[in-house]
Amino acid sequence: QVQLVESGGGLVQPGGSLRLACVASGSILSFNAMGWYRQAPGKQRELVVTFSRGGTTNYVDSVKGRFTISRDYALNKVYLQMNSLRSEDTAVYYCMATLRGFDYWGQGTQVTVSS
């Protein structure tokens, strides 16, 4: 069983930055893929960024140049650095990991961008 716990969400003004963290219960090297998704009120959950064990990283167009994913293999953590935040980035952000064909999700962390 994989457990993922997100942290780092909060309230930030437009143009500000936040760094989200996701800690996994096991080695992130074992996962076929990991990533961040988000769900805004009244909308479907959408992909923000994913990376595969093979090294491929994919960002949704709306965050390219503003968001950066990084990994700390020693701590089994994945980070999402979010810069130049906009009101439309407001959502619950979820960490996701794929292992042996199953997708595992964290409980989510709220990000609110508002003045």
Side-chain angles (χ1 to χ4, degrees), residues 63-103:
V63 308
K64 286 180 180 177
R66 300 188 299 123
F67 290 12
T68 304
I69 192 169
S70 61
R71 289 139 273 186
D72 186 326
Y73 293 108
L75 296 178
N76 294 320
K77 281 187 172 180
V78 175
Y79 301 97
L80 183 64
Q81 178 67 43
M82 306 186 295
N83 299 327
S84 302
L85 283 161
R86 307 167 181 168
S87 58
E88 54 263 39
D89 295 318
T90 295
V92 178
Y93 284 70
Y94 296 91
C95 181
M96 185 282 296
T98 301
L99 180 65
R100 300 190 191 98
F102 289 94
D103 291 339

Side-chain angles (χ1 to χ4, degrees), residues 2 4 24 31-35 95-99 102-106:
V2 175
L4 304 169
F31 301 141
N32 301 101
M34 289 194 76
C95 181
M96 185 282 296
T98 301
L99 180 65
F102 289 94
D103 291 339
Y104 297 88
W105 297 88

Side-chain angles (χ1 to χ4, degrees), residues 29-73:
L29 284 169
S30 66
F31 301 141
N32 301 101
M34 289 194 76
W36 289 93
Y37 287 69
R38 65 186 180 187
Q39 186 166 19
K43 294 188 177 181
Q44 289 187 332
R45 191 173 297 187
E46 67 168 354
L47 179 151
V48 177
V49 57
T50 61
F51 69 88
S52 68
R53 188 190 297 172
T56 301
T57 302
N58 291 301
Y59 292 89
V60 67
D61 286 345
S62 60
V63 308
K64 286 180 180 177
R66 300 188 299 123
F67 290 12
T68 304
I69 192 169
S70 61
R71 289 139 273 186
D72 186 326
Y73 293 108

